[in-house]
Amino acid sequence: IAHRSQKTMIRTFTKKAVEAAESGNGEAATKFAKVVQGLIDKAQKTSTLHKNTAARKKSRLAKRIRTLQ
């Protein structure tokens, strides 16, 4: 329960980044992606996410945004 809000925030901003990329707004997508990466790094640092999971999430988000732009 303690880390649920962190994980939820990561999912929310990931969705926002993907939606922005789909709509063609690359600037907003990049901004949201940067926020997500910071949140993921913070979650990894506090052991909310495993380091490999954090790396995978960041990689998949970057790949998805790249293909949609």
Side-chain angles (χ1 to χ4, degrees):
I1 294 176
H3 303 297
R4 187 180 296 162
S5 65
Q6 275 186 308
K7 289 182 177 184
T8 303
M9 203 173 348
I10 289 169
R11 277 194 298 270
T12 302
F13 278 99
T14 301
K15 287 176 191 172
K16 287 182 180 184
V18 171
E19 286 172 6
E22 284 175 344
S23 69
N25 192 349
E27 201 173 294
T30 306
K31 186 180 95 174
F32 283 127
K34 215 169 192 120
V35 170
V36 171
Q37 287 178 356
L39 290 170
I40 290 173
D41 287 337
K42 205 175 285 186
Q44 176 201 333
K45 198 168 150 185
T46 60
S47 299
T48 303
L49 293 177
H50 189 271
K51 67 177 186 174
N52 291 351
T53 304
R56 185 177 66 242
K57 284 181 180 288
K58 289 194 292 188
S59 174
R60 286 180 181 172
L61 176 64
K63 182 180 176 184
R64 200 157 167 204
I65 288 174
R66 239 190 342 267
T67 58
L68 290 173
Q69 285 182 343

